[in-house]
Amino acid sequence: MTRNPRVNRYLKDKAMDHIDHALGRPVDPMGETYRNHFATGADGKDAKQFTASPNWKKVGQRDDMLFFAVTDVGRKALKDHLKAVGDPWQPYSVTWGGHTVVIAAKSIGNAKYSTYLDVSDSYSELKFVDFAREAKVRRAAV
């Protein structure tokens, strides 16, 4: 499990959205990510833009596909963009029943409820009020 959870977001800036997608949409683009690749047609518009950008480096080609990885410059650009647009996602550590998980959420309450939904699949008799009383949530470092 990575301590840099993924989020479900879409960025209006297409260049930043491509970087976010290539990294697997992590909470912290500068942290460890579970992936770092983007495949595109070798003759396409994206391939030309990626080749000319310091945010990308070409890492391979297979047939008519080019493969790119996000550079440290690209990671920093995404981090700055997320800050500028006020991205609400943060990592939270939720502890309950002797187990701790790190999840992405928009608030402490959202982190607690999201974790409750995950565990209530296995503990069908668990009520949210009981979970909320026992669970401990804090902002996590990535």
Side-chain angles (χ1 to χ4, degrees), residues 38-124:
F38 196 102
T40 189
D43 297 326
K45 175 183 70 162
D46 287 337
K48 290 178 179 79
Q49 289 174 346
F50 290 4
T51 300
S53 172
N55 296 335
W56 298 95
K57 68 178 175 183
K58 182 180 166 189
V59 294
Q61 181 169 357
R62 182 170 175 224
D63 300 324
D64 63 343
M65 297 295 294
L66 285 180
F67 299 92
F68 293 88
V70 180
T71 63
D72 288 341
V73 171
R75 286 175 179 264
K76 178 76 167 85
L78 177 58
K79 181 178 180 166
D80 293 345
H81 178 76
L82 292 173
K83 185 175 181 179
V85 299
D87 183 61
W89 294 98
Q90 300 294 322
Y92 290 94
S93 175
V94 182
T95 302
W96 178 79
H99 300 282
T100 300
V101 295
V102 176
I103 66 162
K106 295 180 180 182
S107 67
I108 287 176
N110 180 240
K112 193 175 281 192
Y113 187 66
S114 179
T115 305
Y116 165 73
L117 292 176
D118 288 344
V119 301
S120 67
D121 287 343
S122 298
Y123 297 92
S124 58

